């Protein structure tokens, strides 16, 4: 995969495909498949809250498709909330029509943030704070699970800070208590980060 960054005209090459492109026919490549950190709730009625940036959207598409399939089979499914962020809606709103159809079916609630579509940059963490009452309700009172998938750069920290702000506002508590609540969620497997660098 290769592309040109529109704003800087910088040419970029995908790490894996760039490496493979350099290899000759018959080359042997070392690779490993690691198990995912993402473990979904056993009960499909438990709310699932997902944050994905860029290609971090891929696992959440699969989770949403699973919930859609379950609902179409007549099963009761809990809320499915997706926070998606990228730079430009026009170029990077992946699977837009598909997600919009799931919203119409009543399976998905979606919050999008396109950071470069306006003068003030808006990121997923801003959308999480805006939807704080919903996030807190599903996570803290309905046994919800929260997942983050995306770049390991600064994203997990920014999302964590947003989640801490949500808990502080919802529970009317201080930073220390909010951090303790998030720590408990992590220990229970209800706050999971799948990030790469």
């Amino acid at each position: 995969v290769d592309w040109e960054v529109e704003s800087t005209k910088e040419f970029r090459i995908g790490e894996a495909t760039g490496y493979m492109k350099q290899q000759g026919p018959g080359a042997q490549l070392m690779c490993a498949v690691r198990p995912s950190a993402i473990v979904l709730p056993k009960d499909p009625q438990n709310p699932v809250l997902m944050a994905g940036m860029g290609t971090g959207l891929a696992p959440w598409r699969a989770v949403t498709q699973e919930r859609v399939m379950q609902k179409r089979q007549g099963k009761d499914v809990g809320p499915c909330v997706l926070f998606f962020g990228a730079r430009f809606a026009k170029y990077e709103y992946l699977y837009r029509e598909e997600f919009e159809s799931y919203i119409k079916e009543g399976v998905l609630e979606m919050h999008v943030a396109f950071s470069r579509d306006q003068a003030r940059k808006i990121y997923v963490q801003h959308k999480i704070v805006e939807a704080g009452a919903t996030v807190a309700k599903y996570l803290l009172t309905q046994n919800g699970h929260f997942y983050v998938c995306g770049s390991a750069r600064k994203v997990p920290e920014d999302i964590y800070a947003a989640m801490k702000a949500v808990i502080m506002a919802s529970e009317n508590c201080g930073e220390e208590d909010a951090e303790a609540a998030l720590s408990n969620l992590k220990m229970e497997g209800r706050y999971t980060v799948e990030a790469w660098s």
Side-chain angles (χ1 to χ4, degrees):
V1 175
D2 54 46
W3 70 98
E4 183 179 284
V5 178
E6 187 172 312
S7 59
T8 64
K9 302 300 179 199
E10 178 186 359
F11 184 72
R12 294 200 181 167
I13 299 172
E15 194 167 330
T17 52
Y19 174 76
M20 290 172 62
K21 208 173 184 180
Q22 295 172 359
Q23 306 307 307
Q28 292 187 357
L29 305 176
M30 296 286 290
C31 67
V33 177
R34 296 185 187 134
S36 174
I38 299 164
V39 178
L40 295 175
K42 288 183 173 44
D43 185 350
Q45 292 186 38
N46 289 123
V48 173
L49 299 102
M50 308 162 286
M53 287 58 66
T55 57
L57 179 64
W60 311 142
R61 179 182 181 216
V63 169
T64 305
Q65 288 171 334
E66 167 117 351
R67 286 273 166 117
V68 168
M69 180 198 68
Q70 290 170 330
K71 184 173 182 180
R72 288 176 182 168
Q73 292 173 342
K75 295 180 183 172
D76 289 329
V77 296
C80 189
V81 182
L82 174 59
F83 296 90
F84 172 61
R87 292 169 299 181
F88 301 99
K90 182 178 178 181
Y91 305 111
E92 299 169 303
Y93 197 162
L94 307 171
Y95 312 110
R96 181 180 193 153
E97 295 81 18
E98 181 179 338
F99 284 120
E100 287 173 350
S101 74
Y102 300 153
I103 292 166
K104 286 178 185 166
E105 283 187 58
V107 177
L108 179 66
E109 176 182 331
M110 193 164 181
H111 304 266
V112 295
F114 296 102
S115 61
R116 307 302 193 274
D117 280 351
Q118 62 282 315
R120 184 180 145 259
K121 292 184 180 174
I122 299 171
Y123 296 109
V124 164
Q125 59 267 26
H126 300 127
K127 294 297 183 176
I128 289 170
V129 171
E130 282 177 18
T134 299
V135 170
K137 178 178 80 172
Y138 290 156
L139 196 59
L140 302 175
T141 66
Q142 296 184 15
N143 202 34
H145 293 243
F146 183 79
Y147 305 94
V148 179
C149 189
S151 168
R153 289 186 197 128
K154 200 168 181 263
V155 170
E157 296 161 16
D158 292 339
I159 300 294
Y160 180 85
M163 292 298 288
K164 186 166 56 170
V166 164
I167 291 174
M168 289 169 63
S170 166
E171 302 303 295
N172 197 25
C173 67
E175 196 169 333
E176 197 172 291
D177 289 338
E179 287 176 353
L182 288 170
S183 180
N184 287 338
L185 289 170
K186 286 180 179 182
M187 287 189 303
E188 294 169 7
R190 294 176 44 222
Y191 186 111
T192 306
V193 176
E194 177 98 350
W196 60 87
S197 49

